[in-house]
Each structure stands twice: as structure tokens, then as C-alpha cells.
Amino acid sequence: MKEGSTEDGSNDAVPGPGESEFLTIQEKFKHASVTATRRPLVVLKEDLDKTDPFHKFKEKSFKRSHAFLTLAFVWFLVLQVVGLYFFTKGFLLTKLVLDFKSECAVSPDGSNFYQPGDPNNGCWHPKAFEKAVVIVIDALRYDFTIPVRTDTPAPYQNALKVLHETAAGHPSNAFLLPFIADPPTTTLQRLKGLTTGTLPTFVDAGSNFAGTEVDEDNIIAQLRTAGKTLAHLGDDTWSALFPNLFEPEITHAYESFNVWDLHTLDNGVTEHLFPLLSPANSSKWDVIFGHFLGVDHAGHRYGPSHPAMTAKLEQMDGLIRRMIASIDDSTLLVVMGDHGMDTKGDHGGESDDEVEAALWMYSKAPRFGRTSHLTLKPPSTAKERPVNQIDLVSTLSLLLGIPIPFNNLGSPIEEAFIGDSGHNWENLARASHLTSAQIRRYQDRYTEARNMDSSASSLPTEAWKKLQNVWVKVTRKSTQAEWKQSYFSSSKFQKINLEVCKALWARFDVPSMIQGIVVLLWTTVVLASYARSTLGDRSQLAYSLFRNGFAVGVLGGSTAAVASYLYLDGQILNNVLFGAAIFGLVGTTFAIHPRQLGALPASFWGWLTFVVTISQAGGFAANSFTIWEDEILLFFIVTIGTATLVMSAQQKSYAKRTHGMMQSFTFMFLTRFASLSRLCREEQMPYCKSTYYGTSSSSTSSQYLLLVPFAVAYILPKLIQSYFEAAGSWRGTAPLVIGSFFRGSLVLSALFWLLDTAADNDQLPLPEGISKDIRMTIARIILLGAIGPGIFILFVRSEPCIASLEDPSPTPQTPPKTYIFGSPSSRGAHYFLLLTFLALISIFVQKPMGGGALALFVFQILSLLEILSTNNLSSSSLGPITLGLLGNFYFFKTGHQATLSSIQWETAFVATRTVVYPWSPLFVMVNTFGAQILATLAVPLVVLWRQPPNKKGMLSQVAKALATFMLFHAVLSLATTLWAYWLRRHLMLYRIFNPRFLTAGLVLLVTECVLVLVVLPGLRCNFLKVGRVFGFVQQ
């Protein structure tokens, strides 16, 4: 392509008619005394001929380079997935599930006091009840049930009175106790513990929303084996865990994941429960399991300190009173919470509020008691007389006369067996001894299945021998004192065994963890070499990198498969994956090694980003650093802003100096302003105040925050327009996309959240169904518009942000010329449109404060791009590393923390009523990692912004920037992996270090998937569009 003029304003350029459209930077930014005139690029018309063979050759060359670059990044992604898989497999604990089932005719203690085998009278112990109604009120925290004397009770206080009222007033008929859950406090894991009596392991948390059938002995299966007719009403998680065990005609399961719906499921349970409790239908069932979700959903949607919580608890109070009136003397009524909720209404972790649920049992006939007059009233706090949730299994089994499930580790609850007099120690001791004998039988089978030595069970064995000695004495001399001693000995054995099992299941698969660390470490080293220490064109190197890595990896995997089949007694799949990864890394290393430069940074900015990255990675070894990560990131980002301010102040050009300093001030101001949005984690209290929601105990936005989306809709498009105009790129489709489409969609987004908040506060004069339909319609217009007309038409099929003008007066002596306006940043401006559409989606799925934070992030990205352009830093590591820091910083500013309870599950339903795959999980993912996704999308702009379209080596520079960005997240993921391994016995492992490891791993995978699936295809489209206008150059 022959250039008549370039950006330096050489004499061949003639002022075109559109030159007056370029505005000065001073006019746009108010404080800068610099003018920058942008002249048009002049090309010969013949140079725009797209049929030129050489043009076609260069286009094919670009496509080939881009394809291999994509494959290289896919290869890095595969290696990191393998590394995370091996580490996670060894780190997230699992336990061996035994297939043994307890049998009615085989009592575990072999005593002669009761003839086992008769389910009508009781298999191992005389049964106390013929029927049972078991009600789970999801997220029923213990303090919700305790009355308080105050003139201003919290919304969750003094609403559910019946449980405490009956337990305190009629202790022989009812008791109320704190019911302590084992973390993770997610519903599926809690239901497993409540029905099997076993402890959960952390790996179960990932399956909370994809429940699979319980494959170990459980109370539901035992009831079914005993010939009982079972009914289930409510949460459909039960149907997933226990398929085909409930009677279809009297079972009604409802969708459980829609946290925006407080009433449908509860009303459905109520509708079908009370007809079954009528005397006319008593023969249709033996045990009813009902699971109400309204309290849990009210917590997720509003938080516990909201009038909606009062309404739900009062509704539960009325329903329980109706149940008391409906049952007969032979029916046991159980009401319990599966977990609690934190101050925002969320759960999943191990804080006190999350694990302290409530358990209440009621019988019309006097069957319950207390061992002391001091314990007649329910505990005033959850710290007094708590019982474990797994204790329900043995208690319920013996009361209903069925065998205790084989894997149970819980103890019988003493109030249920001590009798209404409070002195039936024989009954309590026999129930406890039966439970201990079953636990001992399970312990023996587990030790045998694991091939464990006797030292692992030495403490329980010693306690069991002492218990047996006491048991022999009590069977010979049956006094109350002897029975009491037997009970306490049995309780001691159960507690010791439970502690041993907890320690036993805290054993990590260290070899697998080391395999994962080796793969991740090696991959990070290779990635660092490719990103920062490689000589030559990275887009060309990508071919040999992928070829060697993949070919040698296939060879290694094949070798491992053959070796596993012939010689090794192990899992072939794991051996193949590890062999392929290691051999592949060897091939990749040999592909990069000949082009290596120095390993250490060679510039100030290289050292600065190196120190910041290593400091953050090393800081994850401290729990206080991890807890206050958002504040640490604020410090790092402001430090970088200060450094760019100093660098800009040293520019010789007054225009660049002023502009760079102004943008550096803007960058730091935006960081500080964004820091005002925060969601505090429990460990930060009381030194942190949440501002993300209306109050620190709420999950809804305050009404004044509704101004934020409208402000974003008005200001953000204008800000983007000002940067485009300053770059001379407010042309082509830019005014349509940003000035019309983007602004209009943001207005719709603001309207959506206005309607949503009004619906939350019952301020809409519309039925909930119609209100939801309106919001769903708005959401679908925004989302489908951004993906369809937005990305696939206005970005993929549109031309770059330029304007062209034919020479109005060509002469025979000079060939026809075309004046092209907007060329200085045609690549960057066109690619920015892709970021605009993804920013729209990310802003929309955030709560109002989160949307405002992401709008600041978009503004800050533009400010950063101007800083890099002004200081000629587009090829340094500053841009990618700063974007990585900003992505993590805005992760916290959008209402998230490295905790399970901070996930905003309700965003799954912004456009649907129920869970719809894959959209609902995608909405949650974009809501959670929207900041990191935008940061990934912005990385190519570090290279493309304000760069001429015919600059050589652009694809290689973009590959360098992308690899550097990947390296940043790979280092953080590796660091959290190493610290999780090293601190695997730390007290705060599952509360702090494990969630941070999981967060870093997920961020790494999400950003790399976005890079491969969105960024690289977007770059291909961008380069092809610009190349077909200005010609292809060496990439």
C-alpha cells in the first residue's frame, strides 16, 4: 500500500472535508493544554483492490498464524486444567463409601434384652412411634426460634414462637435444641448428613446444584425396606438423592433453585400436607418428609432483617400449630433447619450463624424428658447443649423401630430416650449402646476396607473395651447408677470415634497434590518464558510450541496407557493425563528454549509488575492478607497509578506530559472512588462496613442506589465517546453502537433494576407474575440484543470505525485517492466495540452498585490505555498486569468475596423463571467473574489502542500481552495451590485458604476460556476487517 500521508502530517496530505470533526484533547478533558490534530490517511484507490494475489496471500498467512496461536493458548489451558485436576483430586477430601446395609434381624450388640427382627415392634429397639412427620424449614437458624424481650425486635425475632413455647411449657411433649451442621452448609450436603449420619467432605460442595443418588445406607432406604409408605413434599433435591423411594401418588416435588420465589413451593407443600394429615388419609402414609424453602429464599433475596422474613416465619408458626392439631398420639412431629444463614441471608461456609440450626421434636403423648431440672427450658443460645445434625439419624431410627444406617456416626439424643420422668437411664443406655455397637461395626469394616493399621483406631478401641467392661457389669447389676455410667461411657466412645473419623477423613492424597503442583509449576515457567523471555515473533513460535507439545504429549500419554495396562495397578486415565502433560511440557520446553532471552525483567516497569505479582502471590500464605485482599489490591493499583504519574511528569512534550498526568490522576481517582463499594466478609468485622447492599444485613439494594444505573446510562456512553473523539475514531458504527445501542440498552437495564427493587419492596401495583414477565422481557431484549445484533452484526459484520471520502477532483496525472478518517486507532476502536457489548451484559447481570462499579472499570480501562499510549508502554508488562489487578479488584467491588456465601445465585433468574441450562449458570458466572472477563477482553487494547493500522508485528505483540495476562493469573493460582498444600493442616484451611484456592483456579480457567472463545475470535475478526481496508502486513 502506498501512503500519501501518515500521522506526522507530511506534505502529501491535504485537508479533507472531515478534518474539522477532530476535536482537541483540551476541549474534551478540560484540564489539558494540548491540541492534537488528526489528519486523514490518503491511499491510492488501486491499493484497496481486494482481489490482488499478494493481498490474498498475506491474508491466508495471517489466518494461519492466528489459528496456531489459538491452538497454543488452548494447549496452555489444557495443561492448567490437568494440573488443577490432580491437585484438586488430592486436596478436596473424599471418603470411602461402604456398601454394607444394616439388617433388621442382625442387631449390632448381640444382647438378649430384646429379640431383633420384628419391624412391627421395632427391629433393634422397641419403637416409640408408628408414624412420623419430618419437616425441614430450610435455613432455620436457632436464634429465629428464641423469644427476646425488647420493644424493637429484629424482623427474624418473636415471629416463630410455637417451638419455644411448647418446649418450655410442655417438656414431656417437646424439646428444642441447637442443631449444629457440619460445613459445607449447603442443602444437599446437609440432607446427606441428616439421612446417613455421616460427615460430609468438601468435595461434595461442587455438587450442591446437581444432586446425585445417595449410594450408602440411609434412613429413607431403611424405612422403605421396613415396608413403610413414604411421602415427600417440597424441595426436589430429595427426589434426586432418593429416586424411586417415595410413593409417587402422594409425592410432590418442586423446583428448589429459584431463590426469587418465596411462596410457590411453600404453598405447594401446604396444599398437599394437610389433606394427608386428615384422619381419612392416615392409611396412605407412614412417614411424610416436607421441605419448606421460603425462609431460605427470603434470606437469599432480602436478608434476615427484612419484613419478608417476619412474614415467612409467622407463616411457619401458623403451619406448625396446624400440624400439632392434626397429628395423633402415635405420630412423631419433627421440625428442623438444615443450616442457618449469615447476616446477609447466605450460607455455605462455617460461620456460627451458618452452622447453628434448630431441632424441635413433638409428641402429643408424654414421651420426652430432661436429665436435669436445670435443662427444662430450651437453651437461650446455640452454644448451650447443642447436638450434631448427624445425631438425628440414630435417634429417628430407634424411635421408629428401624435399623440404624450402617455408616452412621451420630449419637442418640438423650431427651428422646430418657423418658418423661427424666430417669429412664436404662432405655437411654440401651439406645446409646446399640448406636455404639453399630459405630464399632462400621469402624471395623472401614479399617478393613482401607487396609489401615490398628494405630488409626487405637483410641476408639480402648474406649470400646472400657464401654464393654461397663456393659458387662450393668447387665449383671441393673441399677440406675450403673445404667447412667454405661450411658456416659457409651457417649465418650461415640465422641472419641467421631473425632478420629474427622481426622481420618482429613487425610490428603499427597502424591496427587504433588503431581498437580508439578504440572502447574512447569506450565507457569513455560508460559513465563513465552510471555516475557522469548526472542522473535510469538505468533510464529506458537506453531512449533503447539506441534511439539501436542505430539510429544500424545506419545507420553500413549506410553503411560501401555505401561498402566501392562505393569501398573492404578487408574489408567490418571496415568495417561499425567504422562501426556509431562511429556507435552518437555516438548513445549524444547520448542521455546532456543529462543530464550534473560529471565529477569530489564526495565523499571518490568520490575514493578514483577514485585507486585510476587508480593500478592506470596501474601496468600497469610490469612490476614487473604482476608483483606481487596485493600491490598487497592494499594497495589494506586502505587502503579503514582508511578505512571511520575513517569508522565518526565515527558518532554508538554502535550504528552499534561495528558499523561491528567489520565494518571483520573486512574487513581477512579480506583479510590470504586473502593467505596464493598461487601465485607465475616472475618473483616467490625473494621469494615458493607455498602454494596442497602444495609450490612440485607441482600437487596437501597432505593438511592437505583440512581446508579441511570447515571451509568447517561455518563458512560458520553465518556466512551469523548475518548473515541480524542482518538479520531468517532466514525463508522461507533456512534450507532455507543451513542444509540449501548446507551439505550443501559437505560433498559436501569429500568429492569428499578422494577426489580420495586417488586422486592412490594411497591409495584402489578401482580408478581406480570411484573416478572415485564422484567424477563426487558432482560431478554438486552441480552439477545447484545449477542445477536450487537456482536454478530454491529461488530462481526461491520467495518472499522473509519470514514472514507473519494478524491473530489482527480486529474489524469494523479491516480484516484481515497481519504480515510479515523485510521490512527482503527484497530483499537473497532475491537473496543466487542468489549462494549460484553460490558453491557456484565453490567446488566450485576446489582445496581455492581453495575456502577463495572462502569467505573470501563472508564478506568480507557484511562489506562491513554496512559500506556502516552508513555509508549504498549509492549511492556504494565498493561496486562494492571488489568489483572483491576479485574481482581473489581471482583470485590461487585459484591463478591472468596467465599461460597457471596455468590449471588439469584442472578440465575434475571431472564428466566426457573433454571434453564446453560443460561442460568452462565448468568451466575458472568455476575461472579464479570470484572475478570472484562479485564481479559481489554488486554488486546493495550497493544491496539492508538496504533496505526499498518504497524508490523501487532499479532505477536498481542500474543505477548495475552500470555503475560495469563501468566499473572497462573502465578496467583499456583501460589494459592502451594499455600493450600503447605497449610493443609491450618485451622483456617477450609474457611480461608481453600476458598481462595478455588477462586484463583476458577478465575484462571474462566479467563483462559474467555481468551480462547471470545478474545481470539474477536481479534481474528478485527484484524481481517482492518486488513481488508488498509492491507495486511507482517503480523
Side-chain angles (χ1 to χ4, degrees), residues 562-582:
V562 174
S564 299
Y565 180 76
L566 294 178
Y567 305 109
L568 301 177
D569 183 19
Q571 297 182 355
I572 294 180
L573 176 61
N574 291 335
N575 294 333
V576 169
L577 287 175
F578 187 69
I582 294 298

Side-chain angles (χ1 to χ4, degrees), residues 730-773:
W730 189 246
R731 307 175 183 281
T733 56
L736 174 63
V737 171
I738 299 169
S740 300
F741 184 89
F742 187 55
R743 177 178 283 114
S745 298
L746 288 176
V747 171
L748 286 177
S749 176
L751 180 61
F752 173 92
W753 288 109
L754 177 65
L755 294 174
D756 181 78
T757 304
D760 282 346
N761 296 319
D762 296 323
Q763 295 174 336
L764 278 181
L766 294 172
E768 173 60 24
I770 296 177
S771 170
K772 179 63 176 176
D773 287 338

Side-chain angles (χ1 to χ4, degrees), residues 199 545 580:
L199 297 173
L545 186 151

Side-chain angles (χ1 to χ4, degrees), residues 107-365:
S107 176
D109 69 348
S111 62
N112 296 322
F113 93 96
Y114 183 77
Q115 185 65 36
D118 184 3
N120 293 322
N121 297 318
C123 286
W124 298 350
H125 184 275
K127 68 179 180 181
F129 297 95
E130 295 291 336
K131 294 175 176 288
V133 178
V134 181
I135 301 298
V136 178
I137 299 179
D138 209 287
L140 180 63
R141 207 168 71 191
Y142 183 72
D143 60 336
F144 291 1
T145 68
I146 303 302
V148 294
R149 295 181 179 180
T150 177
D151 295 332
T152 57
Y156 56 83
Q157 294 175 329
N158 296 344
L160 179 54
K161 302 177 182 179
V162 63
L163 306 185
H164 190 276
E165 180 183 297
T166 52
H170 307 279
S172 61
N173 299 96
F175 61 86
L176 173 64
L177 294 172
F179 201 38
I180 307 303
D182 294 294
T185 50
T186 50
T187 295
L188 183 140
Q189 284 67 48
R190 293 295 76 246
L191 292 184
K192 286 183 177 180
L194 289 168
T195 55
T196 64
T198 60
L199 297 173
T201 53
F202 201 93
V203 74
D204 291 336
S207 60
N208 187 46
F209 303 101
T212 56
E213 181 177 358
V214 173
D215 54 358
E216 57 186 316
D217 198 10
N218 60 83
I219 196 170
I220 309 297
Q222 286 291 346
L223 286 168
R224 190 71 172 179
T225 301
K228 304 296 183 181
T229 302
L230 310 180
H232 162 241
L233 307 172
D235 188 343
D236 60 356
T237 306
W238 291 80
S239 299
L241 294 176
F242 309 106
N244 306 318
L245 293 182
F246 298 106
E247 197 66 28
E249 291 77 10
I250 54 176
T251 291
H252 302 275
Y254 296 85
E255 166 67 44
S256 61
F257 193 36
N258 187 356
V259 296
W260 285 29
D261 187 347
L262 275 60
H263 307 296
T264 300
L265 185 144
D266 288 3
N267 292 341
V269 175
T270 305
E271 176 187 353
H272 297 287
L273 174 62
F274 290 102
L276 287 175
L277 294 180
S278 66
N281 294 319
S282 61
S283 61
K284 294 182 179 180
W285 59 274
D286 293 302
V287 180
I288 298 175
F289 293 91
H291 194 144
F292 291 91
L293 285 175
V295 171
D296 178 71
H297 287 186
H300 282 299
R301 186 170 179 181
Y302 303 107
S305 300
H306 191 276
M309 182 61 72
T310 306
K312 291 308 299 185
L313 291 174
E314 288 176 346
Q315 179 189 16
M316 294 299 106
D317 184 87
L319 293 175
I320 294 170
R321 293 181 189 275
R322 289 181 61 188
M323 294 178 206
I324 292 173
S326 300
I327 63 173
D328 57 26
D329 289 358
S330 64
T331 301
L332 170 67
L333 177 59
V334 181
V335 175
M336 58 184 165
D338 56 341
H339 51 73
M341 64 175 67
D342 62 18
T343 56
K344 303 186 306 300
D346 298 321
H347 56 88
E350 55 180 311
S351 67
D352 289 347
D353 283 342
E354 292 171 276
V355 301
E356 293 172 352
L359 171 68
W360 177 80
M361 286 191 177
Y362 174 83
S363 168
K364 276 195 171 179

Side-chain angles (χ1 to χ4, degrees), residues 847-1010:
K847 300 290 182 69
M849 181 67 93
L854 287 188
L856 292 177
F857 187 22
V858 174
F859 187 7
Q860 200 162 6
I861 289 172
L862 288 165
S863 179
L864 175 64
L865 296 178
E866 291 293 328
I867 293 171
L868 298 174
S869 175
T870 301
N871 292 282
N872 299 318
L873 295 173
S874 61
S875 63
S876 74
S877 59
L878 179 64
I881 299 301
T882 304
L883 285 172
L885 292 168
L886 286 171
N888 288 347
F889 176 71
Y890 280 96
F891 167 81
F892 295 104
K893 301 303 108 181
T894 52
H896 298 95
Q897 288 280 350
T899 58
L900 186 64
S901 60
S902 70
I903 299 176
Q904 298 168 22
W905 298 109
E906 61 271 25
T907 56
F909 306 98
V910 292
T912 61
R913 290 186 181 277
T914 59
V915 176
V916 178
Y917 294 98
W919 306 114
S920 297
L922 281 176
F923 294 153
V924 175
M925 185 196 73
V926 174
N927 170 271
T928 305
F929 302 114
Q932 286 98 341
I933 291 172
L934 290 184
T936 309
L937 289 162
V939 173
L941 289 168
V942 169
V943 177
L944 302 179
W945 190 254
R946 285 186 179 267
Q947 297 297 321
N950 53 355
K951 184 178 179 179
K952 295 181 179 181
M954 294 289 281
L955 185 60
S956 176
Q957 288 298 314
V958 169
K960 179 181 179 181
L962 290 172
T964 303
F965 182 79
M966 281 181 56
L967 175 63
F968 171 78
H969 285 296
V971 169
L972 297 190
S973 179
L974 174 64
T976 56
T977 301
L978 288 170
W979 296 130
Y981 170 79
W982 187 255
L983 300 170
R984 62 188 183 275
R985 297 297 179 187
H986 195 282
L987 180 64
M988 291 294 179
L989 175 67
Y990 288 110
R991 192 163 189 164
I992 295 175
F993 298 110
N994 188 19
R996 191 59 188 88
F997 152 69
L998 293 175
T999 301
L1002 287 173
V1003 168
L1004 175 64
L1005 298 181
V1006 168
T1007 54
E1008 291 190 357
C1009 287
V1010 170

Side-chain angles (χ1 to χ4, degrees), residues 408-423:
N408 169 72
L409 298 173
S411 305
I413 299 171
E414 65 177 37
E415 284 85 350
F417 297 95
I418 194 64
D420 60 322
S421 65
H423 301 294

Side-chain angles (χ1 to χ4, degrees), residues 75-76 78-84 86 511-524 526 545 548-561 573-591:
W75 176 241
F76 281 122
V78 169
L79 290 173
Q80 283 158 338
V81 168
V82 172
L84 288 172
F86 276 104
S512 180
M513 295 170 69
I514 293 176
Q515 284 178 304
I517 291 174
V518 168
V519 174
L520 288 173
L521 177 60
W522 197 343
T523 303
T524 302
V526 172
L545 186 151
N548 291 15
F550 182 75
V552 180
V554 170
L555 175 63
S558 302
T559 304
L573 176 61
N574 291 335
N575 294 333
V576 169
L577 287 175
F578 187 69
I582 294 298
F583 275 73
L585 283 166
V586 171
T588 305
T589 302
F590 275 100

